[in-house]
Amino acid sequence: MAIETIIFPDAEQAAQQVAKKIQQLIQRKPDAVLGLATGGTPLLLYRELIRMHAEEGLSFAQVRTFNLDEYEGLPPDHPESYWSFMQRNLFDHIDISPGNYHLPSGMLAADAVPEHCEAYENAIRAAGGIDFQILGIGRNGHIGFNEPGSTISSRTRRVTLCEVTRSDAAPAFGSIEQVPTHAISMGCATILEAKEIVLLAFGEHKAEIVAQAVCGDVSENVTASYLQTHQNIHFYLDSAAARDLRESM
Ligand code: F6R
């Protein structure tokens, strides 16, 4: 088992520790490259980074960021686009420069998508690679939007979203019909190239899949299990998300 799990009494304390790691990284390397996630899980982390910026002078002026994914068909100003999620929950409240953050575009014509995905990969490479990648985990074990069946060598590409992923997103959109069916996502290989990876998981609803990712076979059925092959991977969990882990270890 290669994944180090660190279990906290609650999500807030886990998020604070991850924020501290990011703070130390930025102090060491002011132009650090961060891989960012959206969804409910990183919200407490982003709140803590915003606090560190406001109260402790943590500057993101030179930091570069690359988000994992973006829905297809949502313009950036759509309230559920990951572009607007990032503005609302992080970028609007820190001193990051607009040229320094990147998200895939979900608004391209089909024939422009492959070139866009390749350019995204090249931009990550040109930045020197991702120093610190933040991940959440889907209930089906996805990282980014690498749904079951995605290969370990997958790269940034157009993906089809699973039913479970779309139904988890349905409350935010009002109904499952309004949730996009496709997205652009970094691939598993893209993620695995990050120098350090922290996956956050909070709540009992993540317990079963966390245990599978950590203790199960490395398999395309649970793409988070690919993280077992990484040399510098940590799972930051609250005790609810770690429930099944304790039983299986
Ligand atoms: C988000 C992403 C997804 C989420 C995962 C968990 O950019 O790529 O993998 O991290 O679906 O979502 P939440 O945090 O909402 O439970």
Side-chain angles (χ1 to χ4, degrees), residues 63-77:
V63 168
R64 281 90 40 89
T65 69
F66 290 88
N67 265 78
L68 285 165
D69 37 26
E70 179 59 284
Y71 287 118
E72 185 178 88
L74 299 189
D77 63 356

Side-chain angles (χ1 to χ4, degrees), residues 143 146 150-152 154-155 186-192 223 226:
I143 47 173
N146 293 287
S150 303
T151 68
I152 197 166
S154 54
R155 291 274 165 196
M186 272 189 205
C188 296
T190 325
I191 292 170
L192 288 167
T223 59
Y226 294 150

